[in-house]
């Protein structure tokens, strides 16, 4: 595809349910990022992959959040036992690789609403 | 840790006029990158302009330019000849020289009036 795609675009979950959010980066992009954007706020970093290696997960807010990228391409962000405070837009971004001039290209995001 | 602050939650401009969005940041690093991103209602974050901290010359991209004041840790975005399509949320962001993650400000909602 031409850009970063994310699915689903919208997800409604009942409190306590598990959810899985998918990100398809631009083909050939080595780096992949997840950000969380609460309503009316700027995105906040969650985690970063280089190929299949998760190099930084310091932004994950709790152990209920888990991300993987097993083959170095598609990534899944999983949230277990969702809480109302997890309601946000989850943005995925990819870039050609770590370095000063690598632009991050963003997907359209998944809007998660926890009831 | 680095922080980015945008003190203008909302701004408005008349079509064809010029508007300036403000951004300040805090860092102890000497080398870094600063960015302005545009986020329309579709939520797709789009890079508008980038500035390398080691460059004294202000970056320019067509109607968009920045005023980078390193000592003051200020990074404002000027949009000239504003167009209706410029209406969006604008985010200022910081990235360390050797880092990967972006640190964003709270955003400024720009309205362009016809």
């Amino acid at each position: 595809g031409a850009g970063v795609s994310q699915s689903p675009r919208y997800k409604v979950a009942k409190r306590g349910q598990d959810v899985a959010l998918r990100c398809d980066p631009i083909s050939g992009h080595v780096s992949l990022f997840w950000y969380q954007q609460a309503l009316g706020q700027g995105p906040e970093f969650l985690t970063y992959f280089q190929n299949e290696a998760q190099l930084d997960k310091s932004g994950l807010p709790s152990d209920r959040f888990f991300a993987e990228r097993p083959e170095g391409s598609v990534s899944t962000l999983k949230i277990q036992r969702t809480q109302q405070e997890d309601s946000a837009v989850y943005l995925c971004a990819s870039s050609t690789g770590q370095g000063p001039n690598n632009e991050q290209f963003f997907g359209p995001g998944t809007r998660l609403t926890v009831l | 840790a680095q922080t980015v602050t945008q003190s203008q939650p909302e701004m408005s401009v008349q079509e064809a006029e010029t508007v300036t969005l403000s951004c300040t940041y805090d860092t102890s690093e000497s080398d870094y990158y600063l960015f302005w991103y545009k986020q329309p209602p579709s939520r797709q974050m789009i890079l508008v302009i980038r500035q390398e901290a080691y460059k004294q010359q202000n970056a320019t991209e067509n109607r968009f330019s920045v005023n980078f004041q390193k000592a003051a840790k200020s990074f404002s975005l000027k949009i000239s000849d504003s167009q209706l399509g410029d209406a969006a949320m604008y985010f200022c962001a910081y990235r360390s020289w050797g880092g990967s993650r972006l640190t964003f400000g709270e955003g400024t909602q720009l309205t362009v009036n016809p």
Side-chain angles (χ1 to χ4, degrees):
Chain A
V4 178
S5 60
Q6 293 185 245
S7 61
R9 289 294 308 275
Y10 301 89
K11 177 69 178 178
V12 178
K14 293 183 178 179
R15 188 164 59 91
Q17 284 184 333
D18 297 348
V19 299
L21 312 180
R22 177 187 171 107
C23 172
D24 285 79
I26 293 173
S27 178
H29 276 195
V30 170
S31 299
L32 186 144
F33 305 81
W34 285 98
Y35 294 87
Q36 180 190 57
Q37 185 176 19
L39 184 64
Q41 301 293 318
E44 292 191 355
F45 170 82
L46 293 176
T47 187
Y48 157 61
F49 290 86
Q50 188 165 328
N51 295 306
E52 69 278 5
Q54 190 174 19
L55 299 187
D56 187 351
K57 55 181 181 179
S58 61
L60 296 176
S62 78
D63 58 8
R64 297 186 296 103
F65 286 71
F66 172 77
E68 59 184 6
R69 194 186 185 197
E71 298 179 357
S73 178
V74 171
S75 177
T76 303
L77 176 67
K78 297 179 179 178
I79 308 174
Q80 297 176 325
R81 304 181 303 281
T82 52
Q83 303 294 315
Q84 285 189 327
E85 61 263 29
D86 300 335
S87 295
V89 173
Y90 290 85
L91 297 171
C92 176
S94 70
S95 69
T96 56
Q98 188 177 17
N101 293 320
N102 284 307
E103 178 183 346
Q104 291 185 24
F105 294 86
F106 283 81
T110 295
R111 181 180 296 280
L112 172 65
T113 302
V114 181
L115 303 178
Chain B
Q2 295 82 25
T3 58
V4 177
T5 302
Q6 294 177 248
S7 59
Q8 305 156 315
E10 298 177 349
M11 291 284 285
S12 64
V13 63
Q14 291 296 125
E15 195 175 4
E17 297 295 310
T18 296
V19 65
T20 299
L21 308 184
S22 300
C23 172
T24 59
Y25 58 95
D26 188 26
T27 183
S28 58
E29 300 173 337
S30 58
D31 292 321
Y32 47 86
Y33 290 87
L34 295 166
F35 306 84
W36 278 99
Y37 281 88
K38 170 185 178 182
Q39 188 178 43
S42 66
R43 300 201 303 262
Q44 193 102 25
M45 197 79 77
I46 302 164
L47 178 64
V48 173
I49 198 165
R50 171 176 60 200
Q51 174 78 43
E52 292 88 346
Y54 67 86
K55 290 186 177 179
Q56 294 185 341
Q57 186 172 8
N58 289 322
T60 299
E61 288 288 343
N62 300 314
R63 298 183 295 107
F64 299 86
S65 62
V66 299
N67 183 5
F68 173 48
Q69 301 291 327
K70 191 172 183 179
K73 296 180 181 175
S74 170
F75 182 62
S76 61
L77 174 69
K78 185 172 80 172
I79 306 174
S80 303
D81 186 25
S82 297
Q83 300 176 0
L84 295 178
D86 295 333
M89 183 73 86
Y90 285 81
F91 291 98
C92 178
Y94 174 103
R95 193 179 80 199
S96 298
W97 181 259
S100 297
R101 68 164 73 181
L102 293 166
T103 300
F104 289 88
E106 308 91 333
T108 297
Q109 180 68 51
L110 177 66
T111 301
V112 180
N113 300 307

